[in-house]
Each structure stands twice: as C-alpha cells, then as structure tokens.
Amino acid sequence: MYFVIIISLAALILTYLDSTNKQPGGMKYAFVLITIVGAIHYDYGNDYMAYYDMYEKVSLVPFNIISVLEGDVLKEPGWALLCYLFKPIGGFFMMVAVLNIIQNVLIYKNIKSYVDKKWWPMAIFIYLFSTSFYLLNFSMMRQGLVICVFFGMWPWIKEKKIIRSLITLLLCSLVHTSAVILLPFAFWGCLPFRNSRVWAIVLLVLFLALWIVKDFLNGIFGYLMLIEQFDDYASYYALTDDRELSFGLGYLMNTLPFFLSLCYLFFNNDSQKQSNQLVILAAISFLITPFTTIIPLIERVRMYFAVYLITSLPIVYSCVRNKVLRYGLIFIFVFLYLYDYRGWFYSDVWMDSYRTYQTIFSVL
C-alpha cells in the first residue's frame, strides 16, 4: 500500500517539476516509474489471481479460432486471443506488462497533447489519485484496457475518423462486452459543439431530470434484479464494489467539477469547439452518477466517460479567473480525492488485496 502511494507521490512531484521547467522530462520519467510498478506487480488487486487462473485455463485449451470467436473458450473472445498471443512470448506476466505499457502510453500522450503544461500536475493527480483509474487497473484488467483505449482514441474522435474509431470500439467489445455502448461515440466529433451555452443548458436539464426519475428507474431495475438471469450478475458487482452515493454536503462538493464544467461551457468562447467536445464528453460521467446506487455495474459504465476528466478538468479549472476562488476550488477538489483515496485502502472490499505490493520476481 505505502509503496504504491510513495511511487504515485514521486510521479506527481516529477510532473510538477517538469511543469515549472525545473526538471525537463519529469512527466515522462513519472510515467516510466508508474508503468514499471504496474508492469511487474503480482497478486496486487482483487481480481489479479482470477485473471491469472483465467489465463491458465485458456492456455490449456488447444487454439481454435472458430471456437474462440464463438465464445467457447471465454465469453469475451478478445481476451482469449490476447492470452493465446502472449502464451509463447512470456505468458501472463508479459501480457500484464505490455498492457500496462500501452495504457500508460495512451494516458501520457493525451495529457501531453491536450493539457496545458502548467496544469500537467492536476491531470496526473486525477489519474493516480482517483480510485477509478491507475489504482483500480491493478485489478480491473480487461475494462481498464478498454477505458484507456477509448481515452487514447480522442484524436480520432475529434478528427471524425469514424471508421477507424468504430473498428477499434468493436474490437474493444470483444475484450469487454460493455464497450458496445461506446459505439455511438465514434460519431461524437460530428456533432455541433460551437454553441456551448446550449450544451450547458441541456446538460443541466438532463442532470436535474435524471435525479427526478431516479427513484422510478430504481424500481424498474429492482424488479429486473429479481429475474434469475440478472441475479448472479448483479450480486457479483454488488460484492465487488462497496461505493455508496450519499446526498449530503460531501456529494454536493463532489458535483462542483460538473457545475464548473457547465460554467465553462456557458461562458467560454464558442470558438473553442475541441475543448467543448472534451468537457461535454467528460460531463456525461456526472449524468450517470445517480444510477450508481441502483446497481454498482453502472459505476463501471461511468468510468468510460470519467477518464476524460483527466484532460477536461485542468481546462475547466484553469478558466476560473479569480485566483483566490480558483485555488480554493482546487483545494476542495484535492481534499475530496485524497479522502476517497485513503478510504479505498481501508475499505473491506479492497483492503486485503491492496495492502501489500508484490512483484513477479517473488514467484519467478
């Protein structure tokens, strides 16, 4: 636990030094550091051994492409294909290492390309100290890969490279079925974003409307969960995610980034089309938040859009002109993230599997 925290803090400091030109290349070194930690970890995270056992199961089955694509080996044929691909070149440990490299390269490139250098520390802080990204990817390997690929696709999405985006998302759906819901977002770059005030109003109305109908939808989902086919799936996610949404002051403070995003869209120069696209896509995660109390599975869907907060929130906070207000809002933001981060390591669900960091060298 402390090892990962120290490494994350070291990466944040290196990025800060780079952003102030005191250590050129600092953010690059930071990503090298956290990538190595992710690449060589062993039995760190709730589902690590489950993935290891899954790999072992696949490796014992003779390769047959038809059987794999029909889902006879694993439900998600894309993950089965990855297991077969890495079998002759280092096996499971090599697969984990390569996937960690790919994921962190995608995150690094987007931060470097779409976040102002002065705000790199905030972007990497979100990535490392939000419990939904770097930390959870030690456990959530399949969806973690898909989330990072969707994030890394941003240049294609904004440049309207629809065919390339659709093919990539279809391939992602073979790794994690939930990626199917992302297919419409291959067309995201084609939507009109110049009139950002209209989008701000639409997002606010949707946010309020979804809260109003939340209880009604809660009832519908509750009845669905009584159906036998849904019961096991719902129970699994209920056991692997203990987050609860409360509606007090803490929740209101957590929605501050959403309302700041709305202010950015309402008052921002309408010519900033690409920034508007990014901020709106990230804001979708807040629209999904009310439904995470219905079934924790929806929290996993929210992460697909929440990852864009890494690049959107530095843009939003940098546009708060009053320096005192800006620093006050950043302080609240950092405090809430660190509070949640600390709680993660002491929760009943995650504490045991994240307590002691181990490397593959302990078993090689």
Side-chain angles (χ1 to χ4, degrees), residues 65-363:
I65 188 63
I66 303 300
S67 181
V68 170
L69 293 178
E70 288 181 349
D72 295 334
V73 180
L74 284 179
K75 181 181 176 182
E76 279 86 3
W79 192 255
L81 287 172
L82 283 173
C83 292
Y84 282 117
L85 175 65
F86 283 95
K87 183 179 177 181
I89 54 171
F92 181 73
F93 295 156
M94 181 62 73
M95 182 170 74
V96 171
V98 171
L99 294 184
N100 268 275
I101 292 170
I102 292 171
Q103 291 169 196
N104 283 294
V105 165
L106 292 173
I107 298 288
Y108 169 78
K109 288 180 68 175
N110 265 19
I111 291 176
K112 189 174 181 181
S113 299
Y114 300 108
V115 178
D116 185 275
K117 188 174 182 179
K118 292 187 298 185
W119 289 85
W120 283 357
M122 184 175 190
I124 198 171
F125 174 81
I126 295 170
Y127 175 51
L128 294 178
F129 291 94
S130 167
T131 56
S132 298
F133 308 129
Y134 180 71
L135 198 58
L136 189 57
N137 283 352
F138 282 107
S139 178
M140 189 178 63
M141 294 185 193
R142 287 185 300 122
Q143 193 176 5
L145 173 62
V146 175
I147 289 170
C148 289
V149 170
F150 181 54
F151 184 60
M153 284 171 50
W154 177 246
W156 297 350
I157 292 173
K158 72 181 183 64
E159 292 168 12
K160 305 176 186 178
K161 295 180 178 179
I162 297 171
I163 301 301
R164 190 181 300 181
S165 298
L166 281 172
I167 292 172
T168 303
L169 290 172
L170 283 170
L171 291 174
C172 285
S173 71
L174 298 179
V175 174
H176 202 281
T177 310
S178 64
V180 170
I181 68 168
L182 299 176
L183 290 173
F185 293 91
F187 303 91
W188 188 253
C190 300
L191 297 177
F193 289 97
R194 291 195 182 278
N195 196 343
S196 57
R197 289 186 177 181
V198 172
W199 281 97
I201 294 169
V202 168
L203 287 170
L204 179 60
V205 171
L206 281 173
F207 182 80
L208 296 175
L210 289 172
W211 274 112
I212 292 171
V213 301
K214 182 181 75 71
D215 290 337
F216 172 71
L217 292 175
N218 189 15
I220 293 176
F221 279 107
Y223 284 117
L224 283 175
M225 291 308 106
L226 296 176
I227 300 174
E228 184 178 355
Q229 289 87 339
F230 289 94
D231 185 59
D232 291 340
Y233 199 50
S235 298
Y236 172 78
Y237 280 99
L239 288 171
T240 55
D241 198 332
D242 68 341
R243 299 182 185 185
E244 261 184 42
L245 190 64
S246 59
F247 307 104
L249 180 61
Y251 171 73
L252 292 175
M253 293 171 72
N254 273 306
T255 59
L256 276 176
F258 174 70
F259 291 108
L260 285 173
S261 297
L262 296 186
C263 291
Y264 171 85
L265 293 170
F266 195 82
F267 297 107
N268 185 40
N269 189 328
D270 288 343
S271 65
Q272 301 296 320
K273 180 181 176 182
Q274 291 183 0
S275 296
N276 294 341
Q277 288 177 322
L278 196 59
V279 171
I280 295 166
L281 188 60
I284 293 174
S285 65
F286 292 98
L287 300 182
I288 299 173
T289 299
F291 304 102
T292 59
T293 56
I294 299 171
I295 175 172
L297 169 62
I298 298 176
E299 168 67 16
R300 302 299 183 100
V301 175
R302 188 191 70 84
M303 292 176 193
Y304 286 125
F305 306 99
V307 70
Y308 276 91
L309 295 172
I310 293 172
T311 45
S312 75
L313 290 187
I315 296 172
V316 169
Y317 277 78
S318 67
C319 288
V320 178
R321 292 173 182 165
N322 185 296
K323 186 179 290 188
V324 174
L325 177 60
R326 183 169 67 245
Y327 285 133
L329 291 169
I330 291 172
F331 173 81
I332 293 172
F333 178 81
V334 170
F335 174 80
L336 291 174
Y337 261 58
L338 291 179
Y339 181 81
D340 187 45
Y341 188 79
R342 179 188 177 278
W344 169 279
F345 287 106
Y346 291 97
S347 73
D348 293 335
V349 173
W350 308 105
M351 182 170 59
D352 290 339
S353 60
Y354 278 89
R355 177 179 294 158
T356 306
Y357 177 82
Q358 302 179 78
T359 73
I360 57 175
F361 302 113
S362 63
V363 292

